[in-house]
Amino acid sequence: VVVMAALSSVTWQRAGVYRSPQTLWRDTLRKNPDAWAAHNNLAIALSAEGRILEAIDHYHQAIGIKPDFAAAHNNLGEALQSRQMLPDAIACYRHALRLQPDAVLAHNNLGSALMSQGRLEEAVASYRRALELDPDSALVHNNLGTALKLQGRLDDAVQHHLTAIRLKPDFSTAHYNLGNVLRAQGRLEEAVSRYQEALAITPGAAMVRNNFGTALLAQGKPQAAQEQFRLLVEQEPDHAGGHYNLGIALSAQGKFEEAAGHYRRALQIKPEFAHARTSLAHLLQRAQQPAQSTPRSE
């Protein structure tokens, strides 16, 4: 009985170690501080929790122990990019690719960082290189489509988003991005359909619902748009754009007082929101006009 109790105690202690990936890798590093893979894996777990600065420190430790660890250079780049440290992230991706030229993810990530800097030609080249290595990457097709849209190459963008969806039918972001391209082409009915597909996959996607409502407004359907914007601000009460767009939909239906309330709410959330300020000023001016045009009684 005593032996069994002791074994049970050890088992319980070990179970605590395996409670989460983070506790597992911390336990590994306590026993072997130079375990470069454990530093990398702990950093991945920390990144997943949003603890980016701690993750960056462990990626640096992994690279310090094993400088030719290409995956850690790429992962460090992702963490830096999430902090908007784009030049440093690009340097990490390029280092990863010097170590491993066929790393599809590093080519893709480099493309995304370059695109964020507005370096679209270089971004497209990085995405195309990634697709040479992996033609069936839905992620890369989607990202290339986004870069092509920014270049104004809308037909090419449509084809890459469609390919991403063919490869991964439940790829919500690709449906959303395709909707954006179709809307830019004036193909509103098709855009609305893609937004609906994206929302069916990820009902809580605020950007999708916002653009869905905007497309409905462009179709001349303010009531339907209003419903989408209401759902959006119920889901995210501090979404300034949602309140602003809801104000537009209400104003289009002649519900000026309620519209003004949402413009005011948008300005409370985002005081520098120029469009909301202008729209509210127009509504207030409109409300004053009847009183100003009424002749004074003698």
Side-chain angles (χ1 to χ4, degrees), residues 31-273:
K31 296 168 182 171
N32 182 5
D34 291 334
W36 44 267
H39 279 291
N40 179 71
N41 292 338
L42 175 56
I44 291 170
L46 290 165
S47 291
E49 293 182 3
R51 298 165 65 177
I52 304 300
L53 292 179
E54 292 176 74
I56 288 171
D57 177 60
H58 282 283
Y59 286 134
H60 277 301
Q61 291 188 62
I63 291 166
I65 298 163
K66 187 173 174 59
D68 63 346
F69 190 5
H73 285 282
N74 175 74
N75 294 343
L76 174 58
E78 290 183 351
L80 293 168
Q81 187 172 348
S82 74
R83 302 278 298 181
Q84 299 303 309
M85 300 168 67
L86 294 176
D88 292 333
I90 288 170
C92 288
Y93 298 140
R94 292 197 189 283
H95 198 132
L97 288 168
R98 282 194 292 273
L99 294 167
Q100 189 179 344
D102 62 348
V104 175
L105 186 57
H107 282 291
N108 174 76
N109 289 343
L110 176 59
S112 296
L114 291 166
M115 183 164 60
S116 294
Q117 287 190 322
R119 298 160 65 178
L120 298 179
E121 284 295 335
E122 294 173 83
V124 166
S126 290
Y127 290 137
R128 290 199 187 282
R129 178 59 184 141
L131 288 176
E132 288 173 7
L133 295 164
D134 183 5
D136 292 334
S137 173
L139 175 66
V140 180
H141 278 289
N142 176 67
N143 290 344
L144 176 54
T146 299
L148 292 168
K149 177 182 182 289
L150 292 172
Q151 288 185 315
R153 299 163 64 182
L154 301 184
D155 289 340
D156 291 339
V158 166
Q159 291 309 309
H160 282 284
H161 289 314
L162 285 172
T163 301
I165 291 165
R166 176 179 59 78
L167 292 166
K168 188 178 178 184
D170 63 347
F171 196 171
S172 175
T173 303
H175 285 285
Y176 166 70
N177 287 335
L178 177 55
N180 290 340
V181 181
L182 293 168
R183 189 177 59 159
Q185 290 181 316
R187 298 161 64 181
L188 295 175
E189 199 66 44
E190 294 171 85
V192 163
S193 176
R194 290 298 172 176
Y195 292 139
Q196 288 172 320
E197 287 279 354
L199 284 171
I201 299 164
T202 53
M207 281 195 307
V208 179
R209 195 170 296 283
N210 187 63
N211 285 14
F212 180 26
T214 303
L216 291 168
L217 272 180
Q219 284 186 308
K221 300 177 179 178
Q223 176 63 44
Q226 172 192 322
E227 293 171 7
Q228 294 305 316
F229 295 133
R230 283 199 192 280
L231 287 170
L232 171 56
V233 299
E234 287 172 7
Q235 174 189 324
E236 294 196 14
D238 292 335
H239 195 294
H243 283 285
Y244 169 70
N245 287 332
L246 179 52
I248 292 175
L250 290 164
S251 185
Q253 298 173 79
K255 301 175 181 179
F256 301 121
E257 187 174 346
E258 190 178 356
H262 284 284
Y263 291 143
R264 288 191 179 96
R265 180 64 185 128
L267 287 166
Q268 287 173 350
I269 299 163
K270 189 178 178 182
E272 71 279 12
F273 199 159

